[in-house]
């Protein structure tokens, strides 16, 4: 069995869903489908939540009606009158419920994280119904499955953590029997619920993670992430002009790239696949014949170059110097306990004898963090920083590669330099305005011209 996840752009309009239907129909065996909300719909729903919080009930209602109309247009995918009527009625019910929730929240002018999750979930609830109806209409037996009944999580709204055992149980009860009988189950990604039935979400971009969790729970042969680019590219296409496709990656390489900004994969996606050793593929729904990127446990390291480079922008650097002038025993523990207490992940860390520098991208608790650190250290923060990272198994094998990475950046002011414990990446922190130059220089050195990595082939899209 294969789990196929289609992202927002792959379900964004009627032609996109028609392409999805063709891709599914070309499969030898019925897959399990995971779909995102139509492109930009989650952003729209979160905007609705903000309007309600400000007490702008009229504005919020108008935005809900616009979203409803956009989904109604998708009913063109159901050509059979009865199916079309059923789909329209299902959408009607969903958006009426959303409108009622939004009204109530606008009156009290309060949207808790729990309410925000309830609102955000409507995107995936609607898209999964549309895709199931479109498949049925094309003659492929298919069934909408409410993903909230399947993906069971804790109650950390906005960033819920899955309960793997309970989710696996639900997969066996609700999804496996459908798949076994030749029906394509269609689930929304990103959404789940607590054991007591309260709606949760896995965080932005979380549909990839849902697909991987379902793939692992169903012991799938492969997890396919269908998106709008040809695969994992050698660099972010929004920063570097002509990145190439990386045909093969190891799980470790893909995780590091995702973690350091390669948005094409949610950073948690690889985890469930690693445990079960399930290959993950990234494919382009607009060019289904392209090979894509295949991610597996191990790859032949390519001594010439890293596998790819990535960048994460808008991060904050925090310099923390021990006020006792010596990096006393226990200093690092005290520092990291503060970040843990405020649930703020630290991305890059460098240390010297008396100080430690870290970067974070979630600034919500920054003031509190600085206040607590200041009790035992001198603290300075700098916004507008960015992380640039070269990743590859080759970095471990060939120590000269790290030197070449840094050499390519000569002349750019580097605020931090770090090589992760795995030795599979070399990471620098610099000012955001230098990101483009840094990425372009690295890309030119490793992926363009004669030293081009054998693992990267030119992207034609
Ligand atoms: P989806 O809606 O299908 O989940 P996303 O927008 O989340 O799609 O992810 C795909 C996007 O990720 C691409 O359009 C591209 O702009 C961006 N991206 C950033 N870095 C990379 C990379 N290294 N390789 C491929 N895509 C990347
Ligand atoms: N629809 C959600 C988002 O936009 C989840 C996803 O697309 O993966 O973040
Ligand atoms: Mg995504």
């Amino acid at each position: 069995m294969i789990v196929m996840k289609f992202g927002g752009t792959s379900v964004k309009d009627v032609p996109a869903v028609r392409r999805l239907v063709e891709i599914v129909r070309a499969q030898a065996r019925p897959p399990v489908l995971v779909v995102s909300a139509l492109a930009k719909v989650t952003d729209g729903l979160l905007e609705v939540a903000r309007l309600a919080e400000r007490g702008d009930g009229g504005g919020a209602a108008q935005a809900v009606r616009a979203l409803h109309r956009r989904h109604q247009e998708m009913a063109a995918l159901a050509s059979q009158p009865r199916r079309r009527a059923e789909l329209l009625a299902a959408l009607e019910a969903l958006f009426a419920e959303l409108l009622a929730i939004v009204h109530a929240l606008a009156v009290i002018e309060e949207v808790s994280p729990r309410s925000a999750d309830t609102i955000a979930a409507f995107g995936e609830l609607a898209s999964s119904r549309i895709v199931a109806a479109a498949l049925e209409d094309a003659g492929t037996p298919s069934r909408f499955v409410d993903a909230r009944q399947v993906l069971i999580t804790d109650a950390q709204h906005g960033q819920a953590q899955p309960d793997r055992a309970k989710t696996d149980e639900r997969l066996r009860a609700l999804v496996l029997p459908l798949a076994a009988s030749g029906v394509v189950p269609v689930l929304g990604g990103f959404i789940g619920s607590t054991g007591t039935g309260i709606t949760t979400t896995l965080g932005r971009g979380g549909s990839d993670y849902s697909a991987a969790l379902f793939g692992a729970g169903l012991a799938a042969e492969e997890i396919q992430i269908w998106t709008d680019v040809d695969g994992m590219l050698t660099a972010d296409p929004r920063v570097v002009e002509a990145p190439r496709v990386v045909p093969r990656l190891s799980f470790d390489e893909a995780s590091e790239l995702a973690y350091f900004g390669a948005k094409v994969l949610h950073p948690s996606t690889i985890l469930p696949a690693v445990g079960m050793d399930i290959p993950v593929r990234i494919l382009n729904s607009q060019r289904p014949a392209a090979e894509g990127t295949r991610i597996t446990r191990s790859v032949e390291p390519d001594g010439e170059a890293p596998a790819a480079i990535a960048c994460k922008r808008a991060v904050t650097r925090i310099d923390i110097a021990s006020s006792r002038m010596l990096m006393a025993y226990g200093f690092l523990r005290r520092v990291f306990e503060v970040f843990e207490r405020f649930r703020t992940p630290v991305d890059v860390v460098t240390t010297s004898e008396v100080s430690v520098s870290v970067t974070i991208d979630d600034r919500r608790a920054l003031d509190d963090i600085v206040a607590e650190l200041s009790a035992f250290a001198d603290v300075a923060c700098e916004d507008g920083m960015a992380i640039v990272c070269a990743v590859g198994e080759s970095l471990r094998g060939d120590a000269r590669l790290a030197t070449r990475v840094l050499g390519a950046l000569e002349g750019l002011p580097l605020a931090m330099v770090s090589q992760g414990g795995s030795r599979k990446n070399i990471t620098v922190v610099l000012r955001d305005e230098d990101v483009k130059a840094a990425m372009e220089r690295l890309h030119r050195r490793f992926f363009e011209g004669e030293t081009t990595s054998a693992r990267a082939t030119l992207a034609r899209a």
Side-chain angles (χ1 to χ4, degrees):
M1 180 197 303
I2 287 176
V3 172
M4 304 171 96
K5 175 262 174 176
F6 289 84
T9 47
S10 303
V11 292
K12 69 174 178 202
D13 53 19
V14 170
V17 176
R18 292 226 161 96
R19 281 193 295 271
L20 173 157
V21 168
E22 285 319 305
I23 292 167
V24 172
R25 286 170 61 79
Q27 296 297 308
R29 274 170 301 152
V32 171
L33 286 201
V34 178
V35 296
S36 289
L38 316 192
K40 303 269 169 12
V41 164
T42 309
D43 291 335
L45 289 164
L46 294 174
E47 178 58 20
V48 164
R50 274 188 290 273
L51 290 167
E53 190 165 32
R54 273 190 251 134
D56 184 357
Q62 207 179 342
V64 170
R65 279 191 286 271
L67 286 169
H68 187 188
R69 280 194 299 277
R70 173 155 174 222
H71 286 83
Q72 278 173 324
E73 283 166 21
M74 303 295 281
L77 288 157
S79 59
Q80 209 207 60
R82 200 164 130 221
R83 183 166 301 117
R84 190 190 199 112
E86 273 171 16
L87 176 59
L88 284 169
L91 292 171
E92 188 79 46
L94 274 177
F95 283 95
E97 187 188 342
L98 175 59
L99 203 56
I101 293 169
V102 167
H103 262 305
L105 295 174
V107 170
I108 58 170
E109 297 187 22
E110 196 218 294
V111 178
S112 63
R114 170 172 159 172
S115 304
D117 271 358
T118 300
I119 293 174
F122 279 86
E124 269 72 10
L125 289 173
S127 66
S128 47
R129 285 190 183 273
I130 291 167
V131 168
L135 282 164
E136 279 276 328
D137 207 63
T140 301
S142 164
R143 180 89 52 82
F144 157 81
V145 177
D146 188 337
R148 295 171 303 177
Q149 308 281 318
V150 178
L151 209 170
I152 305 304
T153 71
D154 66 9
Q156 247 189 86
H157 288 283
Q159 203 72 57
Q161 302 296 319
D163 181 326
R164 299 280 300 270
K166 289 207 181 101
T167 301
D168 289 357
E169 225 171 80
R170 299 291 180 97
L171 283 165
R172 281 193 293 274
L174 301 172
V175 177
L176 208 52
L178 284 176
S181 67
V183 174
V184 176
V186 184
L187 296 91
F190 175 60
I191 62 175
S193 71
T194 62
T196 53
I198 308 300
T199 299
T200 55
T201 67
L202 299 178
R204 297 306 306 270
S207 293
D208 302 335
Y209 192 21
S210 299
L213 290 164
F214 297 157
L218 295 165
E221 282 154 48
E222 186 168 274
I223 297 159
Q224 298 183 347
I225 306 293
W226 290 83
T227 183
D228 62 347
V229 285
D230 272 0
M232 180 68 82
L233 304 175
T234 46
D236 189 330
R238 296 164 298 180
V239 180
V240 167
E241 207 168 304
R244 293 150 191 240
V245 179
V246 185
R248 301 273 288 108
L249 278 174
S250 70
F251 285 140
D252 288 350
E253 288 171 333
S255 306
E256 300 234 358
L257 288 166
Y259 186 70
F260 286 111
K263 187 192 170 214
V264 68
L265 271 191
H266 181 280
S268 304
T269 307
I270 297 297
L271 266 168
V274 173
M276 305 274 298
D277 208 358
I278 303 172
V280 176
R281 274 222 282 167
I282 307 176
L283 294 151
N284 188 344
S285 66
Q286 288 165 36
R287 295 189 346 110
E291 287 281 301
T293 298
R294 191 174 147 84
I295 308 166
T296 52
R297 181 177 298 276
S298 60
V299 291
E300 280 297 306
D302 173 354
E304 291 286 295
I309 55 178
C311 57
K312 187 161 170 177
R313 309 187 73 154
V315 305
T316 297
R317 188 185 88 216
I318 311 173
D319 294 329
I320 307 147
S322 165
S323 30
R324 283 191 233 141
M325 289 312 289
L326 268 180
M327 192 85 124
Y329 179 70
F331 176 67
L332 285 179
R333 179 181 50 76
R334 286 183 74 184
V335 167
F336 287 107
E337 265 173 7
V338 174
F339 289 94
E340 189 183 344
R341 204 163 328 121
F342 291 101
R343 289 177 182 261
T344 299
V346 164
D347 290 330
V348 184
V349 184
T350 57
T351 62
S352 75
E353 193 189 353
V354 293
S355 71
V356 49
S357 296
V358 304
T359 65
I360 61 168
D361 74 344
D362 179 352
R363 268 178 292 272
R364 281 175 299 182
L366 185 59
D367 290 344
D368 291 329
I369 289 171
V370 170
E372 293 221 359
L373 291 172
S374 299
F376 58 92
D378 297 325
V379 185
C381 298
E382 191 166 7
D383 289 338
M385 306 299 288
I387 299 168
V388 167
C389 180
V391 173
E393 303 281 348
S394 50
L395 278 156
R396 183 155 63 168
D398 184 351
R400 286 165 305 177
L401 208 45
T403 320
R404 291 180 62 214
V405 169
L406 292 176
L409 300 175
E410 201 184 316
L412 293 175
L414 305 183
M416 294 164 68
V417 177
S418 140
Q419 191 164 29
S422 68
R423 304 267 177 277
K424 287 174 189 168
N425 75 47
I426 175 133
T427 305
V428 300
V429 175
L430 34 65
R431 296 207 55 80
D432 194 75
E433 61 242 35
D434 292 328
V435 164
K436 202 168 166 58
M439 291 289 283
E440 279 170 353
R441 284 205 215 167
L442 287 170
H443 203 263
R444 227 173 295 130
R445 165 142 321 175
F446 292 111
F447 305 111
E448 298 165 26
E450 279 164 19
T451 53
T452 294
S453 159
R455 282 162 64 191
T457 55
L458 200 60
R460 283 168 300 267

